[in-house]
Amino acid sequence: MKKYISILTLLVLGSTMFAQQTPAPKQTEAITISGATAHIGDGTVIENSILVFENGKITALGTSTTPTKGKVINAQGKHVYPGLIAPTKSLGLVEVNAVRASDDQDELGEFIPNVRSLIAYNAESKVVESMRPNGVLLGQIAPQGGGISGTSSIVQFDAWNWEDAAIKVDDGIHMNWPNSFRRGRWWLGEERGYKPNKEYAKQIQEGVDFMLNAKAYGTGTGKANEQPNEAYTAMQGLFDGSKKLYIYADGEKEIIDAVTTAKENGVQDVVIVGGYEAHKIIPFLKKNNIPVLVQQPHALPSREDDDYDMPYKLPKLLTDGGLLVGIQNANMSNFQTRNLPFYAGHVAGQGLDKEIALQLITGNSAKILGIDDSYGTLAVGKSATLFVSEGDALDMRTNILTNAFIDGREISLETHQTELWKRYMKKYARE
């Protein structure tokens, strides 16, 4: 009997050792962060600030003359930032890409807007947990693949389950626009290199037909309305403005075709994801009020005749052109999302003001995702989702977090990565 008890104890201890950090309890007392340089997330900075929050909301924000309240965190010489936001990621939908059983980011089907990413979200993902030590506290969990991939939701990264994590449910539908050129599939005997996509017009028409059928279904004028259709039902938010359509497109022609087609078919809000050639059509995008979630700058140019630094300077070009711009890294592995602040730092290195670069991963992203009423900036009445760093959050050498809060709850900054770091630091210290 003792033998079985010992084995059970080891199993429990082992599972505890490798489990996610327990989500923080609700805030029970007022907290004041005193003396930090506050980076608001809208381009402004408050030196030697006082920031007070209660019941998960910021109740006071000002200079050193602002009264403190409750527990005081001395952050003299440090910096306080709003929680960083990661759009268009499949975080929590896939743990190990090579293990099919842990991969829920892509479902079978070409047009499946009714597939809701939220119900597959794994709040105990070690990959999700690893975002927090760099200040990435919120994310839009988006499905992948197909023509219309499904419906995304926005979550915070310290929760027991997907119900606790959700802060905006079913916020948008994600669509992959076809390319007017395609790479030759040499493994099928096709010639290498880019060739015009002969199926481009047909592929667009398939998407248009689906939109028209969905719209007719919603108005009760189509045959599809005779029986329930989950896919068409999921599309209705695009036509009444309750959902946004996130279109993944990079080429100049593709972006124009995508925006024009969506608008002509009654879609209210369109966001371009990627937008590699968006700088060529800034007046068109401004006229149609289209924001861009641009790809992270750590990439090579996509065209042979592009400037060598085009990916680095693209966010600045779009920002200088007057567009609402955010940074995402949809084409990168999920774990690299933890580098989000350093992507913004890289853009600042291309000449964009550092506080404006910060907006690309805070205030601007919140506006694009439609959560700016509560998140994205530090302001009285907004959620106390923020973090304190020893230095500049956009510099990987100095972004060392000492405290982080989600809705006023002080969260753990321990992860599988920090455990390994501590373990091997001891090894090198001995040597």
Side-chain angles (χ1 to χ4, degrees):
M1 185 66 180
K2 289 183 179 179
K3 176 182 178 182
Y4 294 130
I5 292 175
S6 298
I7 293 174
L8 180 61
T9 302
L10 288 173
L11 289 173
V12 171
L13 289 175
S15 63
T16 303
M17 185 184 301
F18 293 104
Q20 182 203 34
Q21 294 293 320
T22 301
K26 288 185 177 180
Q27 183 182 7
T28 56
E29 65 172 328
I31 296 177
T32 299
I33 298 175
S34 173
T37 299
H39 302 263
I40 306 303
D42 62 0
T44 60
V45 176
I46 301 176
E47 301 288 348
N48 196 25
S49 68
I50 297 291
L51 189 153
V52 184
F53 52 96
E54 301 178 67
N55 300 316
K57 299 288 185 180
I58 298 174
T59 56
L61 175 61
T63 60
S64 56
T65 58
T66 303
T68 63
K69 188 175 182 180
K71 175 185 175 182
V72 178
I73 297 175
N74 183 2
Q76 197 70 40
K78 298 180 182 179
H79 301 258
V80 60
Y81 294 87
L84 310 182
I85 304 169
T88 66
K89 289 305 300 179
S90 59
L91 285 162
L93 300 183
V94 56
E95 196 70 3
V96 181
N97 291 80
V99 179
R100 183 66 184 90
S102 74
D103 189 345
D104 285 323
Q105 63 184 337
D106 188 2
E107 299 293 339
L108 295 175
E110 188 66 17
F111 298 109
I112 47 175
N114 51 306
V115 170
R116 302 173 64 228
S117 63
L118 182 61
I119 60 174
Y121 175 70
N122 176 21
E124 294 191 346
S125 165
K126 287 186 178 181
V127 181
V128 170
E129 185 181 71
S130 71
M131 301 297 114
R132 303 191 313 229
N134 278 354
V136 183
L137 306 181
L138 304 169
Q140 181 193 45
I141 308 306
Q144 310 289 315
I148 295 180
S149 309
T151 300
S152 61
S153 291
I154 302 168
V155 302
Q156 50 86 5
F157 292 154
D158 183 62
W160 289 101
N161 48 46
W162 65 262
E163 293 93 339
D164 293 338
I167 62 175
K168 188 173 183 180
V169 176
D170 298 341
D171 72 293
I173 289 175
H174 295 252
M175 182 177 193
N176 294 297
W177 196 259
N179 292 318
S180 58
F181 280 75
R182 64 190 304 174
R183 189 188 300 274
R185 297 170 295 181
W186 56 268
W187 59 92
L188 294 178
E190 296 177 358
E191 186 178 348
R192 293 177 183 266
Y194 281 99
K195 303 290 182 182
N197 179 10
K198 297 179 181 179
E199 302 293 317
Y200 182 65
K202 178 184 175 182
Q203 291 167 349
I204 291 178
Q205 191 59 48
E206 289 173 351
V208 169
D209 290 344
F210 185 84
M211 285 187 191
L212 290 174
N213 288 336
K215 191 174 182 180
Y217 176 87
T219 59
T221 60
K223 293 182 179 179
N225 198 48
E226 296 176 359
Q227 61 183 12
N229 187 303
E230 292 183 0
Y232 292 160
T233 299
M235 292 284 285
Q236 300 312 307
L238 298 180
F239 309 121
D240 62 23
S242 61
K243 291 181 182 178
K244 297 188 179 185
L245 180 60
Y246 295 85
I247 303 180
Y248 295 66
D250 284 311
E252 177 182 0
K253 175 177 174 57
E254 286 81 356
I255 295 171
I256 292 175
D257 288 346
V259 172
T260 303
T261 300
K263 292 289 187 178
E264 286 179 347
N265 289 282
V267 177
Q268 299 295 307
D269 292 310
V270 176
V271 178
I272 291 297
V273 181
Y276 182 79
E277 292 187 341
H279 62 287
K280 297 181 179 180
I281 50 172
I282 288 176
F284 169 81
L285 295 172
K286 288 182 68 174
K287 178 182 177 181
N288 289 279
N289 194 29
I290 306 296
V292 180
L293 286 170
V294 70
Q295 178 67 17
Q296 56 82 24
H298 293 180
L300 295 172
S302 295
R303 311 283 188 266
E304 290 183 356
D305 55 351
D306 284 342
D307 293 345
Y308 74 93
D309 58 351
M310 176 53 68
Y312 310 146
K313 65 184 181 182
L314 179 59
K316 183 180 187 302
L317 293 176
L318 300 180
T319 300
D320 290 347
L323 297 181
L324 180 60
V325 182
I327 294 179
Q328 51 80 32
N329 66 331
N331 294 332
M332 306 289 283
S333 296
N334 279 337
F335 71 88
Q336 296 190 38
T337 307
R338 69 176 74 118
N339 292 323
L340 189 63
F342 314 135
Y343 299 149
H346 202 141
V347 175
Q350 297 299 309
L352 192 65
D353 179 84
K354 186 160 285 189
E355 297 306 317
I356 303 300
L358 176 66
Q359 286 182 249
L360 304 184
I361 54 176
T362 55
N364 285 10
S365 292
K367 288 179 182 178
I368 293 171
L369 300 183
I371 58 173
D372 54 307
D373 58 335
S374 297
Y375 301 93
T377 56
L378 303 177
V380 173
K382 290 194 174 185
S383 169
T385 298
L386 50 93
F387 64 93
V388 179
S389 175
E390 291 186 2
D392 181 359
L394 305 191
D395 188 336
M396 67 174 63
R397 297 166 299 181
T398 58
N399 187 31
I400 303 173
L401 271 63
T402 57
N403 307 87
F405 302 85
I406 294 179
D407 295 328
R409 301 177 296 111
E410 185 163 16
I411 65 173
S412 170
L413 295 174
E414 290 296 316
T415 72
H416 182 59
Q417 281 72 28
T418 59
E419 290 176 4
L420 291 174
W421 171 68
K422 291 175 181 177
R423 175 186 176 188
Y424 285 100
M425 281 301 291
K426 293 178 181 177
K427 172 182 183 293
Y428 295 126
R430 285 198 300 266
E431 292 179 355

